[in-house]
Amino acid sequence: MSITVQKTIPAARMQQFQQMVDLWLDEGPIRLATNATITAMENAGIAKAEQAAIIEDRNIIMKHNMRLGVISEVFAPAVEKAVNASRTGSEAQDEIARLIVTAVGIRQDDDSEVITFTFTTQTEADAFDKAV
């Protein structure tokens, strides 16, 4: 059985996140790493279209991981409180990680994001819902 709980990350926080992602991908160490990767791919004779696909895939993965960071930042205290009330040790840590990694976010027209968490127990779902 699974129980879903939806919560919203406000538009202002998601806009801040998008700006941070754009900055990371366009400047600094990420840009240097991208340039080095492109040079290495060119030296290896990888076709331009394939290079573009590799960089695009890498950017998607980076954005996803950074998005998980925002979800964790906003919701981890509530997730931890809900899970730690009924689980301990590595079982609790595994469940906390699962809840964050499997959370599904859907961007709204106003740039906010509705995040859906899927709990395995009603008790944890209720505790999370009350903690946020």
Side-chain angles (χ1 to χ4, degrees):
M1 181 168 127
S2 62
I3 302 92
T4 60
V5 178
Q6 291 186 329
K7 295 294 178 178
T8 301
I9 299 176
R13 180 63 184 102
M14 291 310 298
Q15 290 163 350
Q16 180 186 34
F17 166 71
Q18 292 301 331
Q19 290 171 349
M20 180 185 68
V21 168
D22 292 343
L23 184 67
W24 268 63
L25 294 177
D26 292 338
E27 297 181 10
I30 301 298
R31 175 54 50 204
L32 291 173
T34 299
N35 291 341
T37 300
I38 291 170
T39 299
M41 289 189 292
E42 286 176 356
N43 290 341
I46 297 174
K48 291 282 187 191
E50 191 174 348
Q51 289 182 32
I54 290 167
I55 296 299
E56 183 178 338
D57 287 350
R58 190 230 30 207
N59 288 354
I60 290 168
I61 292 166
M62 288 178 64
K63 286 178 184 180
H64 176 71
N65 287 338
M66 292 170 78
R67 188 182 145 280
L68 289 177
V70 172
I71 291 171
S72 182
E73 171 193 316
V74 174
F75 297 111
V79 168
E80 290 172 0
K81 183 176 180 180
V83 172
N84 286 332
S86 60
R87 302 174 196 234
T88 59
S90 63
E91 181 187 11
Q93 294 297 43
D94 289 348
E95 183 63 6
I96 291 165
R98 183 197 67 77
L99 284 162
I100 291 170
V101 169
T102 62
V104 175
I106 299 175
R107 186 178 294 173
Q108 306 301 296
D109 290 339
D110 67 354
D111 284 340
S112 65
E113 192 163 321
V114 174
I115 309 294
T116 302
F117 293 90
T118 303
F119 290 86
T120 55
T121 71
Q122 187 67 53
T123 302
E124 289 175 348
D126 292 344
F128 172 75
D129 199 27
K130 290 176 187 168
V132 176

